[in-house]
Structure formats: C-alpha cells, structure tokens
Amino acid sequence: LAKQSGQNHFQFYVASIDRQIRERRQMEKDLSQALSRHEFHLVYQPQISLETRRVVGAEALLRWQHSEHGLIPPDIFIPVAEASGAIVPIGQWVLEQACWQAATWAREGMPLRVAVNLSAVQLRQESIVDDVLDTLKRHKIPAGRLELEVTETSFMTNLTDAVGKLHRLHRAGISIAVDDFGTGYSSLTYLKKMPVQHLKIDKQFIQDLLINEEDTRIANTIIDLGRSLNLTVVAEGVETPEQEYYLSQRGCKVAQGYLFSKPLLPRDFETFVQTFHAQIVENNS
Ligand code: C2E
Ligand code: MG
Ligand code: MG
Ligand code: MG
C-alpha cells in the first residue's frame, strides 16, 4: 500500500510540476504582452518624516491587472519578468511613468521625490545610466527628485560594474536607497564603496518589532549603522503607533507603512498628502 500511494504521490508530483511549468510559460507570454495591452499601473506609498511628520516622498509600486486573473502581486510576477528579461522594458515603463508623475505633481505645486525600484537585471544593462538620465531630461525633472531603490543582490554579480553605475547616477544627483536591508548578503564593504544615501529596514524586522527581541535588535543595529555611516534610515511596513514611536525615539528618520497609508492611486495620494499636512496645521494651532 505504501508503495502504491508512493507511486500515486509521484504521479501527482509530476503532474503538478508539469502544470507549474505550463503556468509559468503562460505568465511569461502574458507579461511580454502586458505593456502593449496597458495592463500595468503604478500606485504610490507615502514616505513620512518622523521628525516633521510631513510627506517627504512616494515609493512607486507596480501593479498588473491581468485580463483573466485580476490583480497579480509584484512578488509573483517580478521574479518571472526578471528571469525572462521582460523586466527591462517593464522597468523602463515604470521609470517613465514615475518621472511623468513627479513632473505633474511638481507642476501642481507638490514637488515630491519619487522612489523607483530598480531590478538587479536592469542595473546590469549596459545603457541603464543613460536611460535613466535621458528619462529625467525628457520629463524635465531635477535628478534630486528621483530615488532608485536597489537590493543587496544587485551588487553581487558584478560589484565593480554596479559601483561604477551607481556612482554615475549619484553624481548626476539621483539618490540611492538599499531596499530590504538586512535580508540579503549584507557586507559592510559594499556599503562603504556604494554611493548610498538611504537604508530601508525590511518590513520583516518591523513586523514583530517590540515583540520579537531579535528583530528589535536587528532594527536597532541598522539604525545605528545608518547613523554612523551618515545614511538616512527608512523603516518600511510600519503598521502601529507603537512601532512608529519606538522607531522615532530610536533615531529612525523616515517611515512608510499601512499606519500612514497603503500604496495609493495618484488622485488618492494627492488627497492623502493634503489631509495629512492639514492635520499637522490643526494639531499645531
Ligand atoms: P518593496 O520595494 O520592498 O516594497 C514594499 C512592499 O511592502 C510593497 O509591496 C508595499 O505595498 C508593502 N507594504 C508597505 N507598507 C506595508 C505595511 O505596513 N505592511 C505590509 N505588510 N506591507 C506593506 P508590493 O507593492 O506588493 O511590492 C512587493 C515588492 O515587489 C516590492 O518590495 C519590490 O521588491 C517589488 N516591486 C514592486 N514594484 C516594482 C517595480 O516597479 N520594479 C521592480 N523591479 N520591483 C518592484
Ligand atoms: Mg522598494
Ligand atoms: Mg523593501
Ligand atoms: Mg521587498
């Protein structure tokens, strides 16, 4: 019986792998057509200064509205797009769209910095620096209004190449953030070599802040590291007032999370900024 069920199990396993491969191929195909089908849009999550309680920036986050499957989360489709190479044109579209939005907001009297996630695959592209600078130029936005978020993995394949490109971007005035800090293969050597201005504490360490002692220690360590290297530390995934209070007391300068707002469509983002800033005026008067 054991053998029989083992065999069944094996067959089930094969069938399911086969299905996974088919689904993945289908997703690759759908991804390659998603841009021309206008299935992508961006949402923006406010970044709040814990010192001034003002919105200091917006992180652009990609959304894929699939014609059959509905909204597919980026954690599912970004890795597939990275493997197939589709992330290159998709990432360029994100950059284009985010710069257009930054320019529009600036014209409307809301000159915010917009942060864009840059995939390791994009950073490996020969033309990436020129592409970014060209996009800024076309939308006539100052380089200081753009931040690029890269992960530690981006530095791994070719450190020298990544350092060189990030230096060129930084020299042009773009700020660089290390995203999901603490989850990758952190090395203090690259932090010294990299023209990095922001460290984003990964939300997994914020989630159980003050509950899990280890996570609290890791968050503390990142905040201290940021201070000693003169980097702005951004906490992501802040959901409770207790987390906010702790982080601000501990010296973390910027926070992002559901406590303030989920990622929003541009219109809702504008309303959020107005309401949030109006609250400060109210509280101060
Ligand atoms: P990320 O860049 O680390 O973005 C933060 C993620 O945390 C976002 O998920 C955001 O919606 C979520 N988040 C924000 N506040 C909270 C909170 O308080 N609690 C919880 N539980 N989550 C919160 P999202 O939008 O699903 O994006 C997931 C990941 O997909 C991003 O992580 C980023 O790595 C990637 N991604 C998104 N857009 C792009 C893009 O345009 N290009 C590239 N290359 N990657 C992207
Ligand atoms: Mg990010
Ligand atoms: Mg992150
Ligand atoms: Mg992430």
Side-chain angles (χ1 to χ4, degrees), residues 75 179-180 202-203 236:
D75 284 330
D179 204 353
D180 305 341
D202 191 76
K203 61 173 180 286
E236 56 179 28

Side-chain angles (χ1 to χ4, degrees), residues 59 61 117 149 179 200 236:
E59 180 177 24
L61 294 155
N117 292 283
E149 297 192 0
D179 204 353
K200 297 190 78 176
E236 56 179 28

